[in-house]
Amino acid sequence: MAAQGSVEPVTTGTCLLHIGPYKSGSTAIQRAAAGRRAELAAHDVAYPGSGINHRWGFSALSGFTWGWSGADARRAPDDLGTDLLAEVARARTTARVWLSYERLCVLEEAAARELCDRIGAPVHVVIGLRPLRSLLPSEWQQLVKNGRRTGGLDQWANRKLRAVASGEARARHLDHARLVERWADLLGVDAVSCVALDSRRPGVLTDAFEALLGLPDGLLAPTTGSRHHLNRSLTASEAAVVAAVADRLRGAGIKHGDYQRIVSQGVIRSLRAREPGTAEPRLRLSPVTWARAATVDREAAARIADLGVRVFGDLGVYSGERDVPPGAAAPVEVVEDPVPLAVAVAAALGAAEPSLRPPDLAAVPARRLAGALLRRARQHVRQGFGG
């Protein structure tokens, strides 16, 4: 396992390409980079663009689209990809260029090769390793938040584990061993670094990037008072509210963009701003499904170790060698009834905010507005979000 002080940074002129995968700390490290562009530049590290990550440029280059169906799909304009490549090309030869977008983890071999060819500079890939036994509930939750109809957590997780075992393309990002092997085959073992995430050592991800980019220790550490809670996981009750709202909106024929505005910017943001009660259940796999995921994790860890790529952190944590299996409690399903009133109120507030113009809010006394939303929330609870 690599220690920060013993790691040589990637050579100058190299593009450090962070490809996720999903739910492996990508958002946190991207926010750290985006918020420190000036400091990075002072250390001859370029983080192109002005956004949090390089989603739009890579989406244009790789043909990614958004939407629930082909008819609803949107894609990034081609010039955003051209602009990203131009900014990479303008970087000084003494600089290291840092690019990050987690959806690149789904690229198959030919598309990955084409992307590296278009980048032009030498590429060093960074891959986060989060065990499936904790990643699967997190990804399921993200799909629920995106308005996807997934079914219950355990049912969905077992479908994904079967897809990994059979090598299906839809599970390409979850087959971590093959993901690392694919990029090592493309770039060489020395041009791939992995970061084994560890909840007991939250700094392992930032330490890895600081080492690879030749940055001072602590430069990418979270700032005091950072609003990390706004990206926290939803509880089972909160996920139930989002699933119910999403199902109703999709049933009414809402467009994907409108759904994002109402649910992502309203309901979910409001839910994340609340402090969950200690009694609210968290999402979890059943013991049987957890054990199946742990088996996949152990096998993936062994293959990655045999490959010989650089690993920051402890692969033993990823493999679950020292993990304690969960108890015999049943998993929480998509919809839980009754929904706690506090959760419903937060959802109602969130849903109302995007649809009300500021003048409307200003004209309504706060007590009257809160009372109306509280009555609406109670009605939603009584009707199970069905009417």
Side-chain angles (χ1 to χ4, degrees), residues 129-133 160-167 174-181 290-309 311 315-321:
L129 297 176
R130 180 180 178 184
L132 295 184
R133 57 193 188 277
K160 290 300 180 182
L161 290 171
R162 289 193 295 270
V164 169
S166 58
L174 297 172
D175 189 349
H176 295 161
R178 183 64 194 120
L179 176 63
V180 177
E181 290 166 352
W290 187 96
R292 290 172 182 158
T295 298
V296 176
D297 292 334
R298 284 193 299 272
E299 294 172 352
R303 287 169 61 184
I304 293 168
D306 289 343
L307 194 60
V309 298
V311 177
L315 267 182
V317 173
Y318 172 84
S319 70
E321 292 175 8

Side-chain angles (χ1 to χ4, degrees), residues 249 254 258 261-263 265-267 347-361 369 373 376:
L249 290 175
I254 192 172
D258 291 333
R261 177 179 60 83
I262 294 172
V263 178
Q265 300 174 27
V267 174
L349 283 166
E353 286 173 359
S355 60
L356 292 174
R357 299 188 305 274
D360 296 326
L361 286 173
L369 177 61
L373 288 170
R376 185 186 305 179

Side-chain angles (χ1 to χ4, degrees), residues 7 58 68 93 99 124 128 156 180 195 200 202-203 207 209 222 243 247 257-258 291 293 318 330 338 342 365:
V7 173
F58 279 131
W68 289 320
T93 57
L99 300 172
H124 187 107
W156 174 86
V180 177
V195 185
R200 293 163 292 189
D207 289 350
F209 279 93
D247 187 65
D258 291 333
Y318 172 84

Side-chain angles (χ1 to χ4, degrees), residues 61-242:
L61 293 170
S62 300
F64 295 142
T65 60
W66 295 269
W68 289 320
S69 65
D72 196 31
R74 296 179 298 128
R75 61 172 299 158
D78 291 340
D79 61 345
L80 296 181
T82 303
D83 291 345
L84 178 61
L85 294 179
E87 194 165 351
V88 172
R90 287 196 301 269
R92 297 189 301 181
T93 57
T94 58
R96 300 175 178 95
V97 179
W98 181 3
L99 300 172
S100 181
Y101 183 39
E102 56 271 30
R103 196 171 177 182
L104 296 177
C105 68
V106 307
L107 293 179
E108 49 86 30
E109 290 87 343
R113 186 181 303 278
E114 180 181 355
L115 180 64
C116 290
D117 289 343
R118 296 190 69 177
I119 289 173
V123 173
H124 187 107
V125 162
V126 181
I127 299 171
L129 297 176
R130 180 180 178 184
L132 295 184
R133 57 193 188 277
S134 71
L135 188 153
L136 288 172
S138 184
E139 182 163 328
W140 174 85
Q141 176 191 138
Q142 186 63 51
L143 293 172
V144 169
K145 290 190 293 188
N146 289 343
R148 303 286 181 178
R149 290 167 172 155
T150 61
L153 169 58
D154 248 38
Q155 177 190 34
W156 174 86
N158 278 289
R159 287 201 308 268
K160 290 300 180 182
L161 290 171
R162 289 193 295 270
V164 169
S166 58
E168 295 180 32
R170 63 193 176 102
R172 187 181 289 135
H173 63 293
L174 297 172
D175 189 349
H176 295 161
R178 183 64 194 120
L179 176 63
V180 177
E181 290 166 352
R182 181 162 61 250
W183 284 90
D185 288 345
L186 174 61
L187 300 174
V189 170
D190 293 337
V192 176
S193 292
C194 297
V195 185
L197 303 183
D198 186 344
S199 60
R200 293 163 292 189
R201 290 183 54 209
V204 66
L205 190 62
T206 54
D207 289 350
F209 279 93
E210 287 167 358
L212 290 168
L213 292 166
L215 298 171
D217 293 356
L219 180 67
L220 298 174
T223 57
T224 303
S226 61
R227 304 174 72 190
H228 65 279
H229 66 282
L230 294 181
N231 196 38
R232 69 166 176 83
S233 297
L234 299 180
T235 66
S237 299
E238 291 168 338
V241 170
V242 174

